[in-house]
Amino acid sequence: MSERHPVIAITGSSGAGTTSVMRTFQEIFRREGVKAAFVEGDAFHRYDRAGMKQRIAEELARGNQHVSHFGPENNLFEELEALFRDYAASGGGRTRKYLHNAEEAAPYAQPPGTFTPWQEIEPDTDLLFYEGLHGAVVTDKVNVARHADLLIGVVPVINLEWIQKLHRDRGARGYTTEAVTDTILRRMPDYVHYIIPQFAQTHINFQRVPVVDTSNPFIARHIPAADESFLVIRFANPRGIDFPYLLNMLHDSFMSRPNTIVAPGGKMDLAMQLIFTPMIWRLMERRKLALGKG
């Protein structure tokens, strides 16, 4: 953690919706004049697309049915922790990009599914913003979570998460339902051991809960709409949170526990704007004071 060089991390599983949350933060940063260094969690996978396919095939041949992108064997957790630690200390650090598709790959003249070379973080940024699978991961070898000033979990209920992943992977990536289902099953042990525990480390969790039948996610024809769900917002430490203000601004919301607000699902963007804008203000004020600019 650092007053001079704060780190914000959004963490969530594949299909959880972390990219949508990132867009809200981009809007806050633009409006408030905050220069952020953006880091994607996919940059810290150990293997590129071809290498991961080969590794999966090799592990399946050995009888290992549970190789995945969620666990430490196929990620660079030490390098991710080093980035958070180095940025918090100096505002610097190394990262790279994973090129998901032809559009992303074109400027680099590389094939999709590959990594760009490692490079230094852009200088003179106000904060580091991470979005990916492992922003709050803790193992017996690394503790990424301890370096972040603000940790946010995005955690749809599991059937909704699967529906979102199924629709994304089939629509945007051309996978079959059977292929996506195999991936979900293969990832399950690492999901339980390395994804779920992160949400006990996060400062705020956003969980979308549908109010329509999602009992069989593998045959769902539509992703439940925002208006067909509730948003559960849990604060690890409710001290300093202005709950009366949030309840007043988020129409039809209520508190289910002393640290938990339940709001209509369509209010997610507004809720994040109301909650995180003051937090960004405080991080930037602390930064100015630490740099002697206050």
Side-chain angles (χ1 to χ4, degrees):
M1 300 177 71
S2 170
E3 292 186 349
R4 290 172 175 251
H5 308 290
V7 174
I8 299 175
I10 296 177
T11 191
S13 180
S14 176
T18 57
T19 302
S20 298
V21 178
M22 179 182 70
R23 294 192 190 103
T24 298
F25 270 91
Q26 288 175 324
E27 174 61 23
I28 295 173
F29 296 153
R30 183 199 61 79
R31 187 183 63 234
E32 302 301 327
V34 174
K35 183 180 179 182
F38 288 92
V39 173
E40 295 181 356
D42 289 354
F44 291 86
H45 290 330
R46 189 177 298 276
Y47 303 102
D48 65 11
R49 186 173 295 162
M52 190 60 181
K53 285 182 179 179
Q54 180 179 346
R55 175 162 170 77
I56 290 172
E58 291 171 350
E59 291 300 315
L60 289 175
R62 294 189 184 102
N64 178 8
Q65 302 292 321
H66 299 297
V67 59
S68 84
H69 271 131
F70 289 171
E73 297 84 1
N74 300 307
N75 288 282
L76 303 175
F77 286 171
E78 291 83 359
E79 287 81 350
L80 178 59
E81 182 177 25
L83 171 62
F84 279 28
R85 183 185 62 241
D86 293 348
Y87 188 89
S90 67
R94 292 203 321 153
T95 188
R96 59 183 177 178
K97 292 182 180 294
Y98 177 76
L99 306 174
H100 297 84
N101 51 47
E103 183 180 0
E104 291 184 8
Y108 298 94
Q110 293 182 209
T114 61
F115 297 108
T116 64
W118 292 98
Q119 61 182 13
E120 290 296 313
I121 287 284
E122 181 182 3
D124 302 320
T125 53
D126 296 318
L127 56 81
L128 177 74
F129 183 87
Y130 167 96
E131 176 261 324
L133 296 172
H134 298 113
V137 74
V138 177
T139 73
D140 57 348
K141 295 182 178 179
V142 302
N143 186 336
V144 175
R146 65 179 171 176
H147 302 288
D149 297 85
L150 178 58
L151 288 170
I152 301 146
V154 182
V155 202
V157 294
I158 191 69
N159 279 17
L160 176 57
E161 183 176 301
W162 289 349
I163 290 172
Q164 292 179 164
K165 178 171 177 57
L166 282 157
H167 279 254
R168 184 198 65 184
D169 286 2
R170 288 183 306 203
R173 301 179 180 177
Y175 297 164
T176 64
T177 298
E178 292 74 18
V180 182
T181 304
D182 287 345
T183 298
I184 290 171
L185 292 172
R186 190 164 37 77
R187 290 174 167 179
M188 191 53 63
D190 283 343
Y191 181 88
V192 170
H193 290 105
Y194 298 103
I195 300 297
I196 291 176
Q198 293 184 83
F199 304 121
Q201 304 287 336
T202 45
H203 301 119
I204 305 174
N205 285 336
F206 285 79
Q207 185 169 46
R208 192 153 73 91
V209 181
V211 291
V212 295
D213 183 13
T214 61
S215 52
N216 187 343
F218 302 101
I219 63 170
R221 292 191 296 171
H222 306 286
I223 298 174
D227 290 338
E228 297 175 318
S229 61
F230 281 107
L231 178 65
V232 179
I233 310 169
R234 189 273 296 176
F235 299 85
N237 182 2
R239 182 175 296 177
I241 304 299
D242 191 343
F243 288 107
Y245 170 73
L246 293 175
L247 292 170
N248 183 59
M249 296 297 292
L250 299 171
H251 187 60
D252 291 332
S253 63
F254 61 92
M255 295 190 69
S256 60
R257 289 187 175 179
N259 66 338
T260 304
I261 287 180
V262 180
K267 302 289 187 182
M268 184 167 180
D269 182 73
L270 176 60
M272 290 191 294
Q273 295 275 356
L274 293 171
I275 292 167
F276 294 127
T277 299
M279 292 182 175
I280 298 299
W281 289 343
R282 288 193 287 272
L283 286 175
M284 292 300 96
E285 281 300 315
R286 284 171 45 196
R287 182 171 190 272
K288 287 180 181 178
L289 290 172
L291 293 173
K293 298 180 179 180

